[in-house]
Each structure stands twice: as structure tokens, then as C-alpha cells.
């Protein structure tokens, strides 16, 4: 008869019952060797764009090149005023673009750090917290409530394990994970990561919202599910917006027209007056006056103003051409979860004694004592530091309606935690008040 599998308690602060003889994990030496061989557990990312790189990207635009060429010609001809005016358009537009891009780069840095959380691993029979980037293949990840999974892995043990996979799937409902769930030969396909066949798998970037587990790492860095998504996104070429393409086409047309008219003026002036030097200067001057240098400055300033306006509504603009796409959109198609919602639950109503009370329509004093007892008891029965969306909603509503009672409960001591079981589908906490400690 096989021995029963060890399981994890629901309360994350308790020690896990597996023994050192059952699970040892990699030794520190093995982990260090694998780290040298495989590299850090980090998602592939393009190097940050420096100021010089941003300048090079801006200068490659045809309009900038034309303005720089025109300014250089005016300097050679000794027309300092016109040269400074043209170069001023270039430098002002360049400064606005670079400042906006650098601001966005800095704002996105905290989001990049989500891909490398800290991890609790079992090495040499001992648990320890390490940086997520130091997790290696075949490491044993200890999963607790509130942890962000550092790598893809196969569950060895689990107990009441629920994981929020909204980062990968967009669904806010947590997914139940089981150590004995079936896995297809060769591992799940990319489509299977969202199906029932992946219930024994955990994925990098997801969040443990309930229970605990032990998982063996099977993929790190770019081999993880989120790493493959990142590779696909990085392989997509950066396309020019319709307005940018139209501006390029307009610049080419003006360039060809200016060159043709300039050549014609040069030939006619030189032939009729027999003064080829002044004919050359007249042709160049006419070509310069035909350049639409104002278009470039207006386009840059208006796009930057648009990015600044939507940033006041907590929306970051990675590239300013996105502003143009938003302005031209007539229909916006989105999925429901995580896009139109805040990915969290809110407790809006409660039923007591057959009556339904709308909780956002009054203060705690406006509701009967039975409703107060219901909310306070529900909060006490929930986790002290909740990660489940429903428990978070209960805590927020109880804190908002009955702040004094909730402040008094913070001095109480949790004596025992009875987790959910198939026999009793209820979360039970035994508390001891401060006055009872005597």
C-alpha cells in the first residue's frame, strides 16, 4: 500500500510537512554550475535605448535629413539667419521626441521587474529566498500564497493550490492546480497551457492566490511560456503609422518637385543671363523655400501633447505614433477581462434575514447590527493577508463600513486555522480577543 503523499497547509505561515529525505533539491554546487551553463532566468529584452540611439532614429527620418542638408547649404552660402532657423526646427523636434521617449522608458522599468520576482527554493534540503533570476533548471520551487512563480515547472505536491494566470490568459478567475493532473507526452503544447491538461503545470509570471505546492523547474528564461510570448513580440517589425508613411511620401514628392524646379531655374537663369553662379544660388534658394519644414515640428508637438494628455489618465504611450492610431479609430474591439475591468472583485450587496442591502449606498451606521456581524465575521473567517479576490473584497468593505471594529480586531490573536475540506466546505478561524489573554 503506497504511503500517503505529504501535503501543504493552507496557511502560508506554517512550515511545510515534507521532510529532507523526501525532497532535497539541488545542492548549492549543482545550482551554481547550472547557472553558469544556462545563464540567468531572465526574459530576453532589447537593450535600453540610449540618447545617441534615439538621436540616430530621429535623424534617419527624410524630413530631418532634408532640413539638415538645407541648413548646411545655407551655412556654406553664408546665410546664417536662414540656416539657424532651419536647424532650430530640427533640434526642437529632436529634443521633444527624445524627452518623451526617455520618460516612457523610465516609466516602463517597474513593469519589467515583474518578470524576475524573488523565489523560495529548496536546495540541499533547506529552504531559502533567492532572486528569481538565479532559479535554474530542476530547482524545486516552494509555492506559497502571494508568491509570483519564477519559472515554468511541474507540480510534485499541492494542497488547495489556486493560481492567478491572468497575466497569460487574461482570465481573472484563479485556476486550480493538482499534482496528479494528466500531462500529454512531451509536455503541453502552447495551446494546452490554457486547458485542463496543464493543471499540473505552473507558469512563470503567474501568482499563487491560495494554498501551497512544490514544483520542479522545467523551463527558465526564454523557454518559459511568457518568454516565448516575449520572443514573438520582439520578432515583430516596427511598422510606420499611416501618417508617417504619408509624410515620407510628401517629403519625397516635395524633394523631387524642388529638385526639378531648382534645375529648371538654374538652367533658365544661367542661359538667359549667362551668370551660372547666381543661377545655382537662385535654384538652391527656391528649393529650400519649397521645403515644408513646419510639418515636422507640428507633427512632433501635437503627438507629444496627445501622449501627455492621455498620461494624465494613467495611460503610458510607448511610441507617439500610437496617438495617431487612437485618433483615427472609430471602433475599438477588446476582450472583457483585464482590459475593461480592474481585475478585482467588489462587494456591493449583502443579504441578511431575507433583505438585500446595497453596501455602497450608505455608511455602517445606516445598516442593521445583523449586517455588521455578517461582514465582520466574514472578514475574520478570511485570510489575515488575503490574496483571493473575494476575500480582498470582503476586507475592503468591512474596513470601509466598520473601521473601529476592524481596528480592534487587529489586536486579536489567530489561535487556529481550519482550511477548506471536502467534508466541510467552509473556512474557519478561531480567534482570541485581547481581553481574553489576561
Amino acid at each position: 500500500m503506497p504511503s500517503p503523499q505529504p501535503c501543504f497547509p493552507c496557511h502560508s505561515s506554517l512550515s511545510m510537512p515534507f521532510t529532507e529525505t523526501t525532497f532535497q533539491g539541488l545542492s548549492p554546487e549543482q545550482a551554481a554550475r547550472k547557472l553558469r551553463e544556462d545563464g540567468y532566468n531572465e526574459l530576453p529584452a532589447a537593450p535600453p535605448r540610449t540618447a545617441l540611439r534615439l538621436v540616430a532614429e530621429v535623424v534617419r527620418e527624410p524630413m530631418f535629413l532634408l532640413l539638415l542638408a538645407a541648413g548646411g547649404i545655407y551655412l556654406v552660402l553664408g546665410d546664417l539667419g536662414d540656416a539657424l532657423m532651419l536647424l532650430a526646427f530640427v533640434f526642437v523636434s529632436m529634443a521633444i521626441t527624445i524627452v518623451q521617449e526617455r520618460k516612457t522608458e523610465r516609466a516602463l522599468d517597474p513593469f519589467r521587474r515583474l518578470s524576475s520576482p524573488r523565489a523560495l527554493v529548496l536546495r540541499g534540503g533547506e529552504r531559502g529566498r533567492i532572486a528569481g533570476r538565479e532559479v535554474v533548471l530542476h530547482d524545486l520551487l516552494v509555492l506559497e500564497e502571494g508568491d509570483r512563480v519564477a519559472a515554468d515547472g511541474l507540480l510534485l505536491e499541492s494542497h488547495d493550490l489556486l493560481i492567478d494566470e491572468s497575466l497569460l490568459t487574461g482570465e481573472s478567475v484563479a485556476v486550480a492546480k493538482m499534482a496528479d493532473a494528466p500531462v500529454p507526452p512531451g509536455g503541453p503544447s502552447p495551446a494546452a497551457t490554457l486547458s485542463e491538461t496543464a493543471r499540473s503545470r505552473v507558469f512563470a509570471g503567474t501568482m499563487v492566490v491560495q494554498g501551497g505546492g512544490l514544483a520542479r523547474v522545467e523551463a527558465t528564461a526564454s523557454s518559459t511560456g511568457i518568454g516565448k510570448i516575449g520572443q514573438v513580440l520582439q520578432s515583430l517589425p516596427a511598422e510606420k503609422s499611416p501618417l508617417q508613411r504619408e509624410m515620407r511620401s510628401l517629403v519625397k514628392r516635395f524633394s523631387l518637385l524642388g529638385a526639378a524646379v531648382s534645375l529648371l531655374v538654374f538652367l533658365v537663369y544661367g542661359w538667359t543671363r549667362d551668370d551660372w553662379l547666381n543661377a545655382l544660388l537662385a535654384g538652391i534658394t527656391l528649393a529650400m523655400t519649397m521645403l515644408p519644414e513646419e510639418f515636422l515640428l507640428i507633427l512632433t508637438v501635437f503627438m507629444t501633447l496627445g501622449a501627455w494628455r492621455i498620461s494624465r489618465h494613467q495611460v503610458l504611450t510607448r511610441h507617439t505614433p500610437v496617438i495617431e492610431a487612437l485618433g483615427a479609430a472609430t471602433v475599438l474591439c477588446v476582450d472583457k477581462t483585464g482590459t475593461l475591468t480592474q481585475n478585482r472583485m467588489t462587494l456591493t450587496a449583502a443579504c441578511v434575514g431575507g433583505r438585500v442591502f446595497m453596501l455602497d449606498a450608505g455608511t455602517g451606521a445606516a445598516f442593521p447590527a445583523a449586517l455588521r456581524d455578517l461582514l465582520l465575521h466574514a472578514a475574520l473567517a478570511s485570510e489575515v493577508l488575503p490574496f483571493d479576490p473575494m476575500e480582498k473584497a470582503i476586507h475592503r468593505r468591512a474596513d470601509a463600513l466598520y473601521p473601529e471594529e476592524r481596528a480592534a480586531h487587529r489586536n486579536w490573536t489567530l489561535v487556529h486555522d481550519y482550511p477548506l475540506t471536502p467534508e466541510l466546505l467552509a473556512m474557519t478561524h478561531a480567534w482570541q480577543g485581547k481581553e481574553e489573554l489576561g
Side-chain angles (χ1 to χ4, degrees):
M1 183 175 181
S3 58
Q5 290 185 343
C7 62
F8 298 103
C10 185
H11 199 282
S12 60
S13 64
L14 300 178
S15 61
M16 294 190 176
F18 56 81
T19 62
E20 294 184 4
T21 57
T22 305
F23 298 110
Q24 290 289 326
L26 299 175
S27 67
E29 294 76 16
Q30 289 174 320
R33 184 174 66 254
K34 282 184 173 292
L35 187 62
R36 289 193 301 269
E37 294 173 353
D38 301 335
Y40 286 109
N41 176 34
E42 293 178 322
L43 297 184
R49 293 183 297 175
T50 62
L52 291 178
R53 182 180 173 186
L54 289 174
V55 170
E57 292 177 358
V58 171
V59 170
R60 282 201 298 265
E61 291 295 324
M63 180 61 76
F64 276 110
L65 293 176
L66 277 179
L67 292 178
L68 287 174
I73 292 174
Y74 274 123
L75 283 177
V76 172
L77 297 177
D79 195 342
L80 186 59
D82 288 340
L84 292 178
M85 182 187 69
L86 288 176
L87 294 177
F89 280 116
V90 174
F91 293 127
V92 170
S93 301
M94 189 181 299
I96 293 175
T97 303
I98 293 175
V99 169
Q100 178 66 29
E101 293 286 349
R102 295 287 290 178
K103 181 180 178 181
T104 305
E105 288 282 344
R106 289 193 297 268
L108 292 176
D109 285 340
F111 296 100
R112 296 191 182 100
R113 288 194 287 268
L114 288 176
S115 61
S116 183
R118 293 189 63 80
L120 182 61
V121 297
L122 185 67
R123 290 181 177 175
E126 297 183 358
R127 293 192 296 169
R129 288 276 180 187
I130 63 173
R133 65 196 300 264
E134 297 176 3
V135 172
V136 297
L137 204 63
H138 302 149
D139 250 333
L140 294 183
L141 289 179
V142 181
L143 306 176
E144 296 184 340
E145 290 184 8
D147 285 348
R148 189 173 292 276
V149 182
D152 289 6
L154 177 66
L155 278 174
L156 303 178
E157 304 289 348
S158 65
H159 177 72
D160 297 334
L161 183 60
L162 293 178
I163 293 185
D164 177 10
E165 296 184 344
S166 59
L167 184 67
L168 293 176
T169 66
E171 293 295 333
S172 61
V173 178
V175 179
K177 297 290 183 176
M178 299 174 59
D180 56 352
V183 179
S189 63
T193 60
L194 312 181
S195 67
E196 291 297 324
T197 59
R199 285 188 302 162
S200 62
R201 302 268 177 168
V202 293
F203 303 98
T206 59
M207 177 76 75
V208 180
V209 297
Q210 178 180 303
L214 183 70
R216 183 179 66 246
V217 175
E218 296 193 332
T220 60
S222 58
S223 299
T224 62
I226 193 172
K228 293 176 182 178
I229 294 175
Q231 285 183 316
V232 172
L233 292 177
Q234 285 193 343
S235 65
L236 297 176
E239 296 185 357
K240 297 294 183 181
S241 69
L243 186 57
Q244 285 179 318
R245 291 195 294 268
E246 291 178 6
M247 286 291 296
R248 282 176 173 265
S249 177
L250 183 65
V251 169
K252 290 179 180 179
R253 291 175 185 175
F254 270 94
S255 300
L256 293 176
L257 179 61
V261 173
S262 176
L263 179 61
L264 180 61
V265 169
F266 169 71
L267 294 176
V268 172
Y269 192 104
W271 182 264
T272 57
R273 301 192 181 186
D274 196 23
D275 188 353
W276 295 102
L277 177 59
N278 285 328
L280 177 63
L281 297 178
I284 292 176
T285 302
L286 181 60
M288 295 300 100
T289 58
M290 296 181 66
L291 286 179
E293 64 272 5
E294 297 87 355
F295 288 2
L296 179 62
L297 183 62
I298 292 173
L299 179 63
T300 304
V301 171
F302 272 74
M303 292 301 177
T304 304
L305 286 176
W308 173 73
R309 289 184 64 183
I310 67 172
S311 69
R312 299 174 64 186
H313 297 278
Q314 310 303 316
V315 178
L316 293 176
T317 305
R318 184 68 173 83
H319 297 289
T320 51
V322 176
I323 307 299
E324 173 202 341
L326 289 176
T330 56
V331 178
L332 183 64
C333 300
V334 295
D335 64 342
K336 59 178 178 58
T337 306
T339 305
L340 299 179
T341 68
Q342 295 182 347
N343 200 22
R344 70 175 186 176
M345 300 180 70
T346 302
L347 189 61
T348 59
C351 181
V352 179
R355 295 180 58 193
V356 177
F357 297 90
M358 303 306 295
L359 301 180
D360 54 357
T363 61
F367 298 117
L371 178 63
R372 179 197 63 192
D373 294 340
L374 173 66
L375 283 181
L376 293 178
H377 290 164
L380 289 172
S382 303
E383 288 290 344
V384 179
L385 299 175
F387 293 96
D388 180 78
M390 189 68 231
E391 291 185 341
K392 286 184 176 181
I394 293 173
H395 273 264
R396 284 195 299 268
R397 186 60 69 182
D399 291 341
L401 293 179
Y402 306 105
E404 295 182 0
E405 291 85 345
R406 292 289 294 148
H409 291 165
R410 292 186 179 91
N411 295 323
W412 289 11
T413 302
L414 180 62
V415 178
H416 206 287
D417 178 357
Y418 299 91
L420 292 169
T421 62
E423 295 78 19
L424 181 61
L425 297 177
M427 174 75 78
T428 307
H429 285 169
W431 293 88
Q432 188 174 29
K434 185 176 182 181
E435 63 277 2
E436 300 172 359
L437 297 178

